[in-house]
Amino acid sequence: MLINKVKTDFSEMLCDVFNGATIMLGGFGEAGSPIELIHALIDHGAKDLTIIANNAGNGRVGLGALIGQRQVKKVICSFAKSAKAITFPELYNNGEIELEVVPQGTLAERIRAAGSGIPAFYTATAVGTPLAKGKEEKVFNNKKYILEEALSADFAFIKADVADRYGNLTFNKTARNFNPIMCMAAKQSLIQTKKIIEPDETNPEHVITPGIFVQKIIQVENPIIESNAIEEGIIYP
Amino acid sequence: MLINKVKTDFSEMLCDVFNGATIMLGGFGEAGSPIELIHALIDHGAKDLTIIANNAGNGRVGLGALIGQRQVKKVICSFAKSAKAITFPELYNNGEIELEVVPQGTLAERIRAAGSGIPAFYTATAVGTPLAKGKEEKVFNNKKYILEEALSADFAFIKADVADRYGNLTFNKTARNFNPIMCMAAKQSLIQTKKIIEPDETNPEHVITPGIFVQKIIQVENPIIESNAIEEGIIYP
Amino acid sequence: MINPDLKNVIKGWDRNSIASKIANDLPHASYVNLGIGMPELVSQHIKEDREIIYHSENGLLGMGPTPNENEIDLDLINAGKKPVTILPGGSFCHHADSFSMIRGGHIDYCVLGAMEVSINGDLANWSTGKGIPAVGGAMDLVAGAKNVFVMTQHITKEGKPKLVQTCTLPLTGAGVVSRVYSDYAVIDITKEGFKVIDINQNISMEFLQNITDGKVYQ
Amino acid sequence: MINPDLKNVIKGWDRNSIASKIANDLPHASYVNLGIGMPELVSQHIKEDREIIYHSENGLLGMGPTPNENEIDLDLINAGKKPVTILPGGSFCHHADSFSMIRGGHIDYCVLGAMEVSINGDLANWSTGKGIPAVGGAMDLVAGAKNVFVMTQHITKEGKPKLVQTCTLPLTGAGVVSRVYSDYAVIDITKEGFKVIDINQNISMEFLQNITDGKVYQ
């Protein structure tokens, strides 16, 4: 029997998702954002979700749409103030959604830490700022640091460029961003990929995310381009 | 003026090395071990060195030779008991060299931490063992962890497979090992590489160590193979 | 409060002049992160006697200029989410690795805008204290880069000094700024106060002191 | 102290039989790290109904069998520094990433040798307390892998039990072992003691108890 993580329908991809789950979404702005998986999550209907991502969505597609559907209880991100954000500001200003602001590098490191078995680490980022409030402080070599805890998730929704059936992934240019570390930090990493290749076509020197961090894969050959969709006024669902 | 980190002689590579320096040596056993740079360090003659590496050398070439020359005060490593080690056991049993034993994963993570601005992190590795002695313990989610501090160096001696003049590096198979993270953790990373290519031949998706972590490069087209050298009874210098 | 009309009377350096001063202070072979907005101008003023490598915190080292319309790739963007290019010798990495470059002290210079800079180098540039809080990578950059340069107007549109005794806005970092490039002066943050290392030819030290909330000296 | 001659009288399972039992307990699609020495035998007993992926902590996922003499590449070795191969779908990574797989709980099973295993799952397998201390990746593996299997002779060459009430040697990890595969039994570590889930057909529970320092039960 051969390992094959490739699925053919979205309901199989998301079959374990539950109300109250914590879900990481790859991407930096629209680059590397797994829009089709997010839309499948809207179709799935899970509620009270905690979303970990760099941004809080644009327009009414992808994460913007998920928030608009009121499926999200809390967003943990570095920058929720995107130029074309509609739904997050609306709910936030009405007190209908929680926000945890995390410096972008601390966010990335907390995610990697979760994937690497590190429950907490010290960092100089945010020392002396409002974001250090309530955090343990410690001095190393005469410099102040604060303790930051790992950030894990039940699921990571990931957009790759190329995958094989073992889950070895590569990404396209700066669409790599948070995707590889989120694969490490989630109990289940669900991947949408443009291309699927045979394992013997995978160059072992060039793999960015090794299959050990991947649970399920689905092919989306021509994913929606967020900025185009927003320009065209597309609203999901 | 163009950036060019490539040097042509070893004395220029090692011109900043000083007595008492802390030096990381890449490699896992002989794979990825920068033997020619280590031999240049023997020629250089710096004393009282602290060496950070996975092993403590074999035979009387490379690190084995450096230790034999009594240039090393202390070794920080995970496994000093290699099958063909001669010089380290000799000095260790005579109380003439210090040893700090670090679990291999903790060693790797402490090195990466130094390169990533993390002065310390918690880990479950070694909890309840003699190697946890004197280390701060803390409980997260009902599990015990110990605090481990970052491990930095003045220099990293690194063996790469291919480099360009910016210092972008790739490695050959499992010769990658500690090399990329040591480049991150040292003030000066000194690289010996088999091949040098033009920057436009470097594929930006395949770079393992980006040039920002590299200071100087020298080409060694046909490096000594440690196990062959030991078999042939070669002794350096 | 300074009279904002002063700004219309005494002309300071324009943005490109400030950018050019910064560009001249970046040494050959530096790794540099330019903040979104005005700091991006710096790259247009680098002289041919040096090569600078630009880092964008979303996983891009060796960032090149804006592409032509027909070369745009939406998967190749900068930290401001604008399409960019990559130069030969550039590389991509994931977010943790990219921020290791910043947080690990490998970025030689970052150039950022400011709302306030205090006399001891505190920087406030991420929040007015109102609206949705959003920090991005600013706190990592000021905590991690070897040198933090601030590029800013000397006073606000309302005529208030931006160089102050104590910041009133939420901090981005404490004691992090090395140098400020304003339209009126280049100022080092020192233990003794705001040290003027270059002053606009149209103004006096007295004028500079008037528009600065904190001791300036030469 | 048990009479070591017993071992010559009552024959236990041989190494390959033990390896085969372990191989049968590794589910399809598991990620597995096999310790140097006896545990390496396990890979030779995997049935065709499953695919197992082997991890070697020196940055190799998807490790294949030993190469032929003419295919040896000294840059492609395992954690025991012996030449190996890589299978299609395998990948290389650096040491921190490789140990993230271990320490982050991504390795489903590791199989290791033991000097002593205590009734509460403590493992001692890295040091006799004498000579040069050398730990390698053992402490990371036992702390990080989801399931830690021990493959060992039930008693030492000197006839002393290896399954003990309390370890006397320096620990590799505390409370880390899930299951022990010895030449006489397969034993789960439970709160109630050593739970025997398989016993060699040539011995009795009484015999097993005699060669074990700690309560065994079925």
Side-chain angles (χ1 to χ4, degrees):
Chain A
M1 197 155 76
L2 294 174
I3 292 172
N4 188 1
K5 300 180 182 176
V6 178
K7 312 292 172 194
T8 49
D9 71 85
F10 278 100
S11 61
E12 203 184 340
M13 290 293 287
L14 273 70
C15 64
D16 298 321
V17 174
F18 52 90
N19 290 344
T22 296
I23 304 183
M24 291 178 173
L25 304 180
F28 181 82
E30 67 179 321
S33 169
I35 295 198
E36 280 73 10
L37 282 169
I38 301 172
H39 288 175
L41 183 56
I42 292 174
D43 299 348
H44 177 286
K47 299 243 176 272
D48 296 324
L49 303 172
T50 296
I51 296 295
I52 301 170
N54 189 60
N55 304 101
N58 276 313
R60 293 183 183 279
V61 291
L63 178 53
L66 185 73
I67 291 171
Q69 294 293 310
R70 296 174 181 266
Q71 292 177 251
V72 181
K73 183 181 65 181
K74 182 179 181 180
V75 173
I76 301 174
C77 76
S78 87
F79 202 84
K81 225 165 53 177
S82 301
K84 290 177 180 171
I86 306 168
T87 57
F88 181 83
E90 199 178 292
L91 270 67
Y92 182 80
N93 292 330
N94 289 336
E96 292 174 324
I97 194 164
E98 288 172 63
L99 172 64
E100 179 182 342
V101 191
V102 183
Q104 201 171 132
T106 296
L107 181 64
E109 195 65 33
R110 288 177 66 190
I111 293 167
R112 182 204 173 265
S116 302
I118 294 169
F121 59 88
Y122 286 96
T123 178
T125 294
V127 168
T129 78
L131 298 190
K133 212 179 136 183
K135 284 174 180 160
E136 190 193 311
E137 206 175 79
K138 190 165 173 137
V139 173
F140 296 90
N141 296 321
N142 297 317
K143 195 177 161 182
K144 279 186 197 167
Y145 295 86
I146 52 170
L147 188 66
E148 293 280 1
E149 293 196 14
L151 207 48
S152 61
D154 300 303
F155 302 91
F157 287 15
I158 298 301
K159 186 186 185 182
D161 189 37
V162 181
D164 66 22
R165 63 179 165 79
Y166 289 107
N168 293 305
L169 310 180
T170 55
F171 303 89
N172 186 35
K173 306 185 181 73
T174 55
R176 187 183 303 187
N177 55 63
F178 282 90
N179 283 296
I181 51 176
M182 287 180 171
C183 285
M184 297 169 68
K187 289 193 198 94
Q188 263 191 43
S189 297
L190 312 180
I191 318 297
Q192 65 169 79
T193 182
K194 277 184 151 182
K195 268 172 278 181
I196 294 178
I197 60 173
E198 291 302 315
D200 60 7
E201 295 174 280
T202 295
N203 184 328
E205 300 278 15
H206 301 162
V207 169
I208 301 301
T209 291
I212 191 169
F213 298 127
V214 166
Q215 279 66 44
K216 296 178 185 177
I217 305 158
I218 193 163
Q219 187 171 16
V220 180
E221 246 183 297
N222 294 302
I224 294 166
I225 295 166
E226 187 184 277
S227 51
N228 293 354
I230 291 171
E231 225 165 274
E232 290 163 20
I234 288 172
I235 292 174
Y236 194 87
Chain B
M1 198 155 77
L2 294 175
I3 292 172
N4 188 0
K5 299 179 182 176
V6 178
K7 312 293 172 194
T8 49
D9 71 84
F10 278 101
S11 61
E12 203 185 341
M13 289 293 286
L14 272 71
C15 63
D16 298 320
V17 174
F18 52 90
N19 290 343
T22 297
I23 304 182
M24 291 178 172
L25 304 180
F28 180 82
E30 68 180 320
S33 170
I35 294 200
E36 280 73 11
L37 282 169
I38 301 172
H39 288 175
L41 182 56
I42 292 174
D43 300 346
H44 177 287
K47 298 243 177 272
D48 297 323
L49 303 173
T50 296
I51 296 296
I52 301 171
N54 189 60
N55 304 100
N58 275 313
R60 294 184 183 276
V61 291
L63 178 53
L66 185 72
I67 290 171
Q69 294 293 310
R70 297 175 181 265
Q71 292 176 250
V72 182
K73 182 181 67 181
K74 181 179 180 179
V75 173
I76 301 174
C77 76
S78 87
F79 202 84
K81 224 165 55 178
S82 300
K84 292 181 178 169
I86 306 168
T87 58
F88 180 83
E90 200 178 291
L91 270 67
Y92 182 81
N93 292 330
N94 289 337
E96 293 175 322
I97 195 165
E98 288 171 63
L99 172 64
E100 180 182 340
V101 191
V102 183
Q104 201 172 132
T106 295
L107 181 65
E109 194 63 34
R110 288 176 66 190
I111 293 168
R112 182 203 173 264
S116 302
I118 294 168
F121 59 88
Y122 287 96
T123 178
T125 295
V127 167
T129 79
L131 298 190
K133 212 179 136 182
K135 283 175 180 161
E136 190 194 311
E137 205 175 81
K138 190 166 174 136
V139 172
F140 295 90
N141 295 319
N142 297 318
K143 195 176 160 183
K144 278 187 198 168
Y145 296 86
I146 53 170
L147 188 67
E148 293 280 2
E149 292 196 14
L151 208 47
S152 61
D154 299 304
F155 303 90
F157 287 15
I158 298 301
K159 186 185 186 183
D161 189 38
V162 182
D164 66 21
R165 62 178 165 79
Y166 290 106
N168 293 305
L169 309 180
T170 55
F171 303 89
N172 187 36
K173 304 185 183 74
T174 56
R176 188 184 302 187
N177 56 62
F178 282 90
N179 283 297
I181 51 176
M182 287 180 171
C183 284
M184 296 169 67
K187 289 193 196 94
Q188 264 191 43
S189 298
L190 313 181
I191 318 297
Q192 65 170 77
T193 182
K194 277 184 152 180
K195 267 172 281 180
I196 293 179
I197 60 173
E198 290 301 314
D200 59 7
E201 294 174 278
T202 296
N203 185 329
E205 301 278 13
H206 301 163
V207 169
I208 300 302
T209 290
I212 192 169
F213 298 127
V214 167
Q215 279 66 46
K216 297 178 184 178
I217 305 158
I218 194 163
Q219 186 171 15
V220 180
E221 248 183 296
N222 294 303
I224 295 167
I225 295 167
E226 189 185 275
S227 51
N228 293 355
I230 292 171
E231 227 165 89
E232 290 163 21
I234 288 172
I235 292 175
Y236 194 88
Chain C
M1 184 77 78
I2 294 113
N3 180 353
D5 290 342
L6 278 174
K7 256 199 100 182
N8 299 322
V9 178
I10 303 180
K11 206 174 142 51
W13 293 309
D14 64 13
R15 289 167 167 230
N16 279 300
S17 302
I18 307 172
S20 165
K21 282 179 188 292
I22 297 172
N24 284 336
D25 288 350
L26 299 177
H28 173 62
S30 301
Y31 289 88
V32 174
N33 185 300
L34 299 176
I36 299 160
M38 205 161 73
E40 293 179 69
L41 277 178
V42 171
S43 65
Q44 297 174 22
H45 294 274
I46 301 295
K47 298 225 175 90
E48 286 197 352
D49 64 348
R50 67 194 78 182
E51 186 177 5
I52 303 294
I53 300 196
Y54 299 103
H55 173 260
S56 185
E57 57 264 37
N58 56 318
L60 171 54
L61 188 68
M63 180 168 62
T66 304
N68 298 325
E69 190 69 34
N70 59 341
E71 292 166 337
I72 288 175
D73 180 343
L74 294 176
D75 280 346
L76 180 44
I77 59 175
N78 66 10
K81 288 159 193 150
K82 297 280 183 298
V84 290
T85 50
I86 184 169
L87 297 174
S91 58
F92 299 109
C93 63
H94 65 53
H95 245 80
D97 282 349
S98 184
F99 275 88
S100 283
M101 295 177 191
I102 295 172
R103 294 154 65 104
H106 307 282
I107 299 292
D108 298 307
Y109 296 87
C110 80
V111 185
L112 294 168
M115 297 173 184
E116 290 175 336
V117 177
S118 81
I119 202 153
N120 63 338
D122 295 353
L123 173 67
N125 79 343
W126 73 285
S127 168
T128 58
K130 293 169 210 152
I132 302 174
V135 68
M139 287 188 184
D140 305 290
L141 278 162
V142 301
K146 282 185 203 150
N147 299 280
V148 176
F149 283 179
V150 163
M151 181 179 184
T152 183
Q153 301 301 318
H154 207 92
I155 57 175
T156 66
K157 283 176 196 159
E158 295 76 28
K160 284 168 75 174
K162 287 184 148 199
L163 282 73
V164 295
Q165 199 63 40
T166 308
C167 292
T168 59
L169 294 171
L171 293 192
T172 309
V176 293
V177 176
S178 329
R179 186 178 283 180
V180 179
Y181 295 80
S182 84
D183 43 350
Y184 290 118
V186 179
I187 289 174
D188 270 352
I189 304 296
T190 71
K191 281 180 190 160
E192 290 74 31
F194 293 123
K195 181 177 184 184
V196 181
I197 57 171
D198 189 4
I199 182 165
N200 186 288
Q201 66 282 3
N202 299 329
I203 67 161
S204 64
M205 277 295 284
E206 200 190 344
F207 177 85
L208 190 67
Q209 183 63 77
N210 277 337
I211 59 171
T212 307
D213 172 23
K215 186 187 150 202
V216 298
Y217 72 104
Q218 256 174 329
Chain D
M1 184 78 74
I2 294 111
N3 181 352
D5 289 344
L6 279 174
K7 256 199 99 181
N8 299 322
V9 177
I10 303 181
K11 205 174 143 55
W13 293 310
D14 64 12
R15 289 168 169 229
N16 279 300
S17 303
I18 307 172
S20 166
K21 283 180 187 291
I22 298 173
N24 284 336
D25 288 350
L26 300 176
H28 173 61
S30 300
Y31 290 87
V32 174
N33 185 300
L34 299 176
I36 299 159
M38 204 160 74
E40 293 179 71
L41 277 179
V42 171
S43 65
Q44 296 175 21
H45 294 274
I46 300 295
K47 298 223 175 89
E48 285 198 354
D49 64 348
R50 65 195 78 181
E51 186 178 3
I52 303 294
I53 300 196
Y54 299 103
H55 174 259
S56 184
E57 57 264 38
N58 57 320
L60 171 54
L61 188 68
M63 181 167 62
T66 304
N68 297 325
E69 190 69 33
N70 60 342
E71 292 166 336
I72 287 175
D73 180 342
L74 294 176
D75 280 346
L76 181 44
I77 58 175
N78 66 9
K81 288 159 194 152
K82 297 280 183 299
V84 289
T85 49
I86 183 169
L87 298 173
S91 59
F92 299 109
C93 63
H94 64 54
H95 245 81
D97 282 349
S98 184
F99 276 87
S100 283
M101 295 177 191
I102 295 172
R103 295 154 64 104
H106 307 281
I107 300 293
D108 298 307
Y109 297 87
C110 80
V111 185
L112 294 168
M115 298 171 183
E116 291 175 335
V117 178
S118 82
I119 201 152
N120 62 341
D122 295 354
L123 173 68
N125 79 343
W126 73 284
S127 169
T128 57
K130 295 169 208 152
I132 301 173
V135 67
M139 287 190 185
D140 305 289
L141 279 162
V142 301
K146 282 184 203 150
N147 299 280
V148 176
F149 283 0
V150 162
M151 181 179 183
T152 184
Q153 302 300 319
H154 207 92
I155 56 175
T156 66
K157 283 178 197 159
E158 295 76 29
K160 284 169 74 175
K162 287 184 149 200
L163 280 73
V164 295
Q165 200 63 41
T166 308
C167 292
T168 59
L169 294 171
L171 292 193
T172 309
V176 293
V177 176
S178 329
R179 184 177 285 181
V180 178
Y181 294 81
S182 83
D183 43 350
Y184 291 116
V186 179
I187 290 175
D188 271 351
I189 305 296
T190 71
K191 280 178 191 161
E192 291 75 31
F194 294 122
K195 181 177 183 185
V196 180
I197 57 171
D198 190 4
I199 183 166
N200 187 289
Q201 66 281 4
N202 300 331
I203 67 162
S204 64
M205 277 295 283
E206 200 190 342
F207 178 85
L208 190 66
Q209 184 64 77
N210 276 338
I211 59 171
T212 307
D213 171 22
K215 187 188 148 202
V216 298
Y217 73 105
Q218 255 173 330

